[in-house]
């Protein structure tokens, strides 16, 4: 299965600390994406990293990709209470034009003020 | 800019009743369209995707069907709901044709089958 698996399942930190979430997958990918979901809402795209990239930054977010280990990490620096949400990685592979994304079960992040 | 709308936001339906969830995308043409289901505390399961009008691919056998009557309209249906159909349903779109495209999600529809 292509499914990404996030680790840990739940993470609780204090405001200002860094939060690191990991994602592992099983087969080749074209790219990997991270999404955020507030409770009961749709998913919001955070960042995309292509299979030939190793690191990408966006604001307080830093994503790494190690295709040899089939893993990715999402680092949120200087966390805020508003970062409390579930975070999902999605692996994307293409055998059709639709480029189906396969999501893991997510990491639930709680940032305490 | 592009927007995606899905409705209804919440729905409580009895077992055996029909279902219709609708989704429309604005501001783009020929998008790829998706229906996902999310169980409580879990990730997303892809149910259907479509690369064009009338072109539907099903990912998992189930009690549901999808249709794409217009370029930017995607409908999820069931003739007779089961209790196991309860969940959070998300419509999504991505730009068609090229690879590595971001998926944009609607706000979701909560379905409770009673």
């Amino acid at each position: 299965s292509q499914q990404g698996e996030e680790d840990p399942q739940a993470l609780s930190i204090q405001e200002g600390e860094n939060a690191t979430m990991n994602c592992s997958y099983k087969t080749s990918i074209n790219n990997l994406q991270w999404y955020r979901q507030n409770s009961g809402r749709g998913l919001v795209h955070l960042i995309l990293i292509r299979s030939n990239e190793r690191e990408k930054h966006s604001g307080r977010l830093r994503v790494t990709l190690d295709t040899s280990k089939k893993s990715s990490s999402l680092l949120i620096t200087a966390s805020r209470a508003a970062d409390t949400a579930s975070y999902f990685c999605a692996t994307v592979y293409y055998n059709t034009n639709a480029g189906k994304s396969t999501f893991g079960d997510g990491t639930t992040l709680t940032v305490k003020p | 800019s592009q927007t995606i709308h899905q409705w209804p936001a919440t729905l409580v339906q009895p077992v055996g009743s029909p279902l219709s969830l609708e989704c429309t995308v604005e501001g783009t043409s020929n998008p790829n369209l998706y229906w996902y289901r999310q169980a409580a505390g879990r990730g997303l399961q892809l149910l259907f995707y479509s690369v064009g009008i009338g072109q539907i691919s099903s990912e998992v056998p189930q009690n549901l069907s999808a249709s794409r009557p217009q370029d930017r309209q995607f409908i999820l249906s069931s003739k007779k709901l089961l209790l196991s159909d309860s969940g959070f349903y998300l419509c999504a779109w991505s730009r068609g044709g090229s690879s590595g495209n971001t998926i944009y999600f609607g706000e979701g529809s909560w379905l409770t089958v009673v």
Side-chain angles (χ1 to χ4, degrees):
Chain A
S1 166
Q2 283 275 354
Q3 186 172 20
E5 296 180 1
E6 291 88 348
D7 170 60
Q9 289 185 327
L11 181 62
S12 181
I13 59 175
Q14 292 294 134
E15 204 165 28
E17 294 179 340
N18 295 342
T20 300
M21 290 160 269
N22 302 297
C23 170
S24 60
Y25 57 93
K26 296 180 180 177
T27 60
S28 297
I29 60 172
N30 293 92
N31 65 63
L32 186 145
Q33 304 183 30
W34 284 91
Y35 290 80
R36 166 200 168 114
Q37 183 182 33
N38 285 11
S39 181
R41 304 294 297 275
L43 278 72
V44 175
H45 180 258
L46 295 176
I47 199 165
L48 179 154
I49 186 164
R50 300 190 188 282
S51 59
N52 61 353
E53 297 177 311
R54 292 296 169 258
E55 188 170 313
K56 207 159 183 182
H57 297 255
S58 177
R60 294 184 295 111
L61 305 180
R62 172 176 169 255
V63 169
T64 62
L65 179 64
D66 187 335
T67 53
S68 66
K69 295 181 180 178
K70 292 186 169 54
S71 67
S72 173
S73 67
L74 170 67
L75 168 67
I76 304 174
T77 60
S79 64
R80 306 167 182 168
D83 294 329
T84 295
S86 292
Y87 292 83
F88 295 88
C89 70
T91 53
V92 182
Y93 65 102
Y94 281 80
N95 57 6
T96 70
N97 286 335
K100 295 174 286 184
S101 292
T102 306
F103 290 79
D105 286 344
T107 292
T108 300
L109 173 66
T110 303
V111 181
K112 301 173 186 175
Chain B
S1 64
Q2 299 83 24
T3 56
I4 179 169
H5 304 281
Q6 67 175 102
W7 69 94
T10 59
L11 197 59
V12 179
Q13 291 286 102
V15 169
S17 64
L19 170 73
S20 180
L21 299 179
E22 296 193 33
C23 173
T24 59
V25 180
E26 298 175 0
T28 188
S29 59
N30 197 31
N32 296 326
L33 296 172
Y34 310 84
W35 277 110
Y36 286 88
R37 176 168 59 199
Q38 185 178 29
R42 301 297 300 276
L44 278 68
Q45 178 187 36
L46 178 62
L47 301 177
F48 301 95
Y49 69 92
S50 171
V51 299
I53 295 174
Q55 300 178 63
I56 310 294
S57 295
S58 174
E59 288 298 292
V60 293
Q62 59 208 317
N63 185 40
L64 302 168
S65 62
S67 61
R68 184 171 178 173
Q70 299 181 47
D71 181 45
R72 291 169 292 170
Q73 184 184 24
F74 207 24
I75 298 172
L76 183 68
S77 303
S78 173
K79 293 181 179 177
K80 289 185 178 182
L81 284 168
L82 305 172
L83 287 174
S84 58
D85 292 324
S86 294
F88 189 48
Y89 290 83
L90 288 154
C91 181
W93 74 274
S94 67
R95 287 183 174 81
S98 55
S99 64
N101 289 326
T102 297
I103 295 180
Y104 301 92
F105 288 85
E107 284 299 306
S109 298
W110 286 99
L111 170 65
T112 303
V113 183
V114 296

